[in-house]
């Protein structure tokens, strides 16, 4: 059962509000944020009163507020075809679901699932994924923390991890522009790899923030080159792409 949907009246004691208070007088502590744990389908914004040069926009029980937002629990919506997501997993991890307890994910069930025979009807396509970045040694030192996060991401999903410096191939040394040299180096390196390899090219300053989600959805796409447009600018990214 869903909790009641919030009204538009500002109640700083409600977990479905954000606020910035004067001092620490707010009933949920200083500058509280919305808590959506009671809303199984997330929250939606009802009203927003932004800060305006630290003017007081509300006073409740003697506490003064510079800004606030009111949320309500979102209702479930029917999933359309556009909302559907494709999940790609290795065939080697697929196993039949036991009829007696299809949702048994306790410790015993996990151990039993691990020892259960795999599904022989599914075959891996044999594609391998490699995470590839380009940067000279100075660049690698500068972005050491970011590169470590990418290495962890690759290790977690069993991907290859390759660092190119840009000086490996004579044919690419004529390019002084970083991106031309990068694309040339990647192209030359791919010529030495098996046809089943799909390379995820990333800039060295990229941080792997969501370690649980792999790249199989894109690695199994039939396109030879996959690009994306930045969300803030009308720019097709030159530094990050999938290629095979």
């Amino acid at each position: 059962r869903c909790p009641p949907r919030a009204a538009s009246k500002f109640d700083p004691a409600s977990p479905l509000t954000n606020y910035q208070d004067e001092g620490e007088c707010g009933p949920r502590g200083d500058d509280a944020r919305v808590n959506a744990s009671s809303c199984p389908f997330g929250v939606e914004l009802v009203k927003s009163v932004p800060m305006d040069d630290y003017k007081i926009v509300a006073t409740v029980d003697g506490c003064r507020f510079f800004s606030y937002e009111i949320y309500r629990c979102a209702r479930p919506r029917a999933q359309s075809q556009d909302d559907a997501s494709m999940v790609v997993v290795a065939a080697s991890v697929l196993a039949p679901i036991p009829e007696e307890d299809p949702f048994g994910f306790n410790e015993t069930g996990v151990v039993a699932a691990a020892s259960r025979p795999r599904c022989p009807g599914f075959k891996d396509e044999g594609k391998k994924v490699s995470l590839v970045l380009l940067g000279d040694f100075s660049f690698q030192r500068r972005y050491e923390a970011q590169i470590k996060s990418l290495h962890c991401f690759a290790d977690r999903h069993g991907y290859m991890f390759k660092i190119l410096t840009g000086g490996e191939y004579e044919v690419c040394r004529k390019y002084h522009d970083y991106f031309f040299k990068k694309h040339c180096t990647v192209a030359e390196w791919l010529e030495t790899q098996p046809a089943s390899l799909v390379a995820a090219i990333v800039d060295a300053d990229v941080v792997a923030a969501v370690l649980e989600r792999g790249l199989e959805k894109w690695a199994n796409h039939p396109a030879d080159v996959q690009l994306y447009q930045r969300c803030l600018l009308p720019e097709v990214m030159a530094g990050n792409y999938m290629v095979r």
Side-chain angles (χ1 to χ4, degrees):
R1 180 182 178 183
C2 294
R5 288 157 72 86
S8 59
K9 181 180 178 181
F10 174 50
D11 177 10
S14 168
L16 296 180
T17 58
N18 290 338
Y19 63 72
Q20 186 168 0
D21 55 343
E22 185 180 48
E24 300 180 4
C25 61
R28 292 164 41 234
D30 184 36
D31 297 344
R33 306 296 297 172
V34 63
N35 182 348
S37 60
S38 62
C39 301
F41 303 103
V43 296
E44 55 190 23
L45 183 65
V46 174
K47 184 177 181 180
S48 176
V49 180
M51 177 182 288
D52 181 13
D53 196 24
Y54 289 94
K55 295 178 182 177
I56 302 300
V57 297
T59 301
V60 180
D61 295 333
C63 184
R64 305 200 300 176
F65 298 87
F66 301 123
S67 66
Y68 65 84
E69 292 177 335
I70 303 172
Y71 293 82
R72 64 186 178 193
C73 289
R75 296 190 186 279
R77 60 189 182 95
Q79 188 182 58
S80 66
Q81 186 174 359
D82 293 337
D83 297 328
S85 298
M86 180 180 69
V87 178
V88 181
V89 298
S92 58
V93 305
L94 298 176
I97 297 176
E99 295 183 3
E100 65 274 8
D101 186 16
F103 300 104
F105 295 109
N106 54 33
E107 184 175 353
T108 302
V110 170
V111 173
S115 60
R116 191 173 299 126
R118 304 295 97 179
C119 294
F122 294 96
K123 303 295 182 183
D124 282 323
E125 293 187 350
K127 291 181 181 176
K128 303 298 181 184
V129 178
S130 179
L131 210 59
V132 182
L133 60 90
L134 184 142
D136 58 24
F137 296 114
S138 174
F139 204 78
Q140 293 176 40
R141 287 193 298 270
R142 180 179 179 184
Y143 294 103
E144 181 180 5
Q146 290 91 329
I147 292 174
K148 284 183 177 179
S149 77
L150 293 171
H151 207 161
C152 287
F153 177 79
D155 286 345
R156 180 185 181 95
H157 294 279
Y159 302 151
M160 293 172 53
F161 186 74
K162 180 67 175 180
I163 299 179
L164 301 168
T165 65
E168 290 87 351
Y169 305 101
E170 181 69 30
V171 68
C172 301
R173 293 174 186 169
K174 62 183 178 181
Y175 296 112
H176 300 290
D177 180 89
Y178 168 79
F179 286 107
F180 285 156
K181 178 176 289 189
K182 177 177 181 177
H183 301 329
C184 177
T185 303
V186 168
E188 291 296 317
W189 178 77
L190 280 175
E191 291 287 349
T192 68
Q193 302 302 307
S196 60
L197 182 78
V198 181
I201 316 301
V202 295
D203 287 329
D205 59 352
V206 169
V207 176
V210 184
L211 297 180
E212 296 79 12
R213 184 172 59 189
L215 300 173
E216 283 73 19
K217 175 179 178 180
W218 297 276
N220 287 280
H221 194 281
D224 291 328
V225 179
Q226 298 178 68
L227 308 171
Y228 70 92
Q229 181 176 323
R230 298 186 71 162
C231 59
L232 299 178
L233 300 170
E235 174 191 356
V236 175
M237 285 296 295
N240 304 325
Y241 52 93
M242 299 282 289
V243 64
R244 60 181 181 177

